[in-house]
Amino acid sequence: MGQVDGKIALITGAAMGIGAACAVRLAEEGATIILTDIDDKKGESTAALINSNGGRAEYLHQDVTQEDQWIALVNDIGARHGGLDILVNNAGIAVVCESITEMSLEDFHLQNSINLDGVFLGLKHCIPVMSGSGGGSIINLSSVAGLKAAPSLAAYAMTKGGVKLLSKSVAKECAVAGNGVRVNSVHPGIIDTAIWNKMGLGADVPGENRTETSEIAQQAVPGGKLGVPTDIANGVVFLASESSSYMTGSELVIDHGLSC
Ligand code: NAP
């Protein structure tokens, strides 16, 4: 018996990294997975991997910033699966800028649109279908950067702090409404995924990091330990499952002591 047997789970930005690990772990625990992303090739291969290991997954293209795509997706899930039990609002990017005074308004809006508009739209359109099928669990990916300052990542930190309080506020709305929907945020520390490479830290060429993720963890994390996507996915499984049924509006920090 899996921890989320028979549940329908939607995970955004799940072609790779933390989202892909959440898809794999939730599938291992018995959920049917709808994984979405803008990287169709990697998304298809993550779904194929889950299916080849005996899980149930399908990949669908979705840009989380587009409201029409959320509406079409949620209608499709409702029609084909009869409801939704788990939503992992995972898609996110990190725009690095040495100083806020050098950040373009375009980059600021880009940062905000994926990390905050995307989560807002997921909450707005998934809560009705979830409550209609008896409730569910929403897990929003924040960060340790949503708990403490992140110089050179000020706009990113703003979005992740926003995700934390958006989650708490909506959790209370749902609890008071008695619609059976729980909302929690997860705060990863330094996890070994491609997001760090996309940030281009210390690089002359965009998208080609000179700084290794392990080096960053070595300097910042107590004991120097670098996390792996499954470390976060295991926390997401817990929040998705009945084991966390009295948890809503909580922040689950998974950072090996980074934010202590
Ligand atoms: P990742 O490896 O870069 O994966 C993120 C995925 O989201 C990518 O497939 C990316 O596609 C996709 N994506 C980007 N924009 C999108 C959009 N508009 N609509 C749908 N999908 C989109 O990142 P990750 O490290 O797994 O991060 C997952 C979440 O955890 C993010 O919210 C991140 O902020 C958070 N987080 C990560 C860490 C960490 O250390 N890794 C720490 C704290 C918090 P493209 O590659 O095509 O852009």
Side-chain angles (χ1 to χ4, degrees), residues 12-20 36-39 42 62-65 89-94 114-115 141-145 156 160 186-196 198 213 229 232:
T12 68
M16 64 183 90
I18 291 170
T36 71
D37 206 289
I38 50 173
D39 188 330
K42 290 206 173 81
Q62 182 202 17
D63 178 342
V64 294
T65 67
N89 274 317
N90 166 78
I93 63 163
I114 297 172
N115 290 22
L141 264 292
S142 178
S143 169
V144 291
Y156 176 78
K160 293 304 186 180
V186 170
H187 301 255
I190 297 172
I191 309 301
D192 194 13
T193 73
I195 200 170
W196 294 95
K198 295 171 200 168
T213 318
I232 307 307

Side-chain angles (χ1 to χ4, degrees), residues 142-151 153-154 156-158 160-161 164 187-190 220-222 251 253 255 257-260:
S142 178
S143 169
V144 291
L147 302 172
K148 56 182 260 189
L153 280 167
Y156 176 78
M158 172 201 71
K160 293 304 186 180
K164 180 181 86 163
H187 301 255
I190 297 172
V221 180
E251 45 201 83
V253 181
D255 70 348
L258 172 61
S259 60
C260 289

Side-chain angles (χ1 to χ4, degrees), residues 98-247:
E98 194 74 15
S99 161
I100 198 73
T101 60
E102 287 160 18
M103 189 166 210
S104 69
L105 186 59
E106 193 185 25
D107 275 353
F108 185 79
H109 285 162
L110 174 69
Q111 180 66 87
N112 208 47
S113 69
I114 297 172
N115 290 22
L116 262 181
D117 292 7
V119 176
F120 155 68
L121 291 170
L123 291 163
K124 176 178 175 182
H125 293 291
C126 291
I127 287 171
V129 71
M130 274 186 160
S131 58
S133 55
S137 175
I138 299 178
I139 299 117
N140 295 327
L141 264 292
S142 178
S143 169
V144 291
L147 302 172
K148 56 182 260 189
S152 306
L153 280 167
Y156 176 78
M158 172 201 71
T159 63
K160 293 304 186 180
V163 166
K164 180 181 86 163
L165 285 180
L166 180 60
S167 303
K168 286 183 186 296
S169 303
V170 176
K172 266 197 176 173
E173 286 180 10
C174 290
V176 170
N179 62 15
V181 177
R182 298 185 292 115
V183 186
N184 293 288
S185 57
V186 170
H187 301 255
I190 297 172
I191 309 301
D192 194 13
T193 73
I195 200 170
W196 294 95
N197 204 43
K198 295 171 200 168
M199 286 159 72
L201 297 173
D204 304 322
V205 183
E208 284 183 27
N209 256 12
R210 222 190 276 148
T211 314
E212 292 292 326
T213 318
S214 55
E215 259 176 63
I216 300 166
Q218 196 60 46
Q219 285 167 20
V221 180
K225 193 169 180 192
L226 176 65
V228 293
T230 307
D231 292 325
I232 307 307
N234 286 334
V236 167
V237 167
F238 167 67
L239 289 174
S241 76
E242 282 306 301
S243 302
S244 61
S245 60
Y246 199 60
M247 281 177 77

Side-chain angles (χ1 to χ4, degrees), residues 28-101:
E28 284 170 356
E29 294 295 339
T32 296
I33 308 297
I34 297 126
L35 62 103
T36 71
D37 206 289
I38 50 173
D39 188 330
D40 296 339
K41 205 168 159 211
K42 290 206 173 81
E44 295 284 8
S45 76
T46 300
L49 174 76
I50 292 169
N51 290 324
S52 69
N53 287 332
R56 283 178 307 277
E58 70 172 314
Y59 170 75
L60 297 171
H61 180 91
Q62 182 202 17
D63 178 342
V64 294
T65 67
Q66 301 302 306
E67 186 161 25
D68 56 342
Q69 294 185 22
W70 274 106
I71 293 167
L73 177 67
V74 169
N75 284 342
D76 176 54
I77 292 171
R80 289 193 298 120
H81 296 281
L84 180 66
D85 305 298
I86 299 161
L87 167 66
V88 185
N89 274 317
N90 166 78
I93 63 163
V95 180
V96 177
C97 195
E98 194 74 15
S99 161
I100 198 73
T101 60

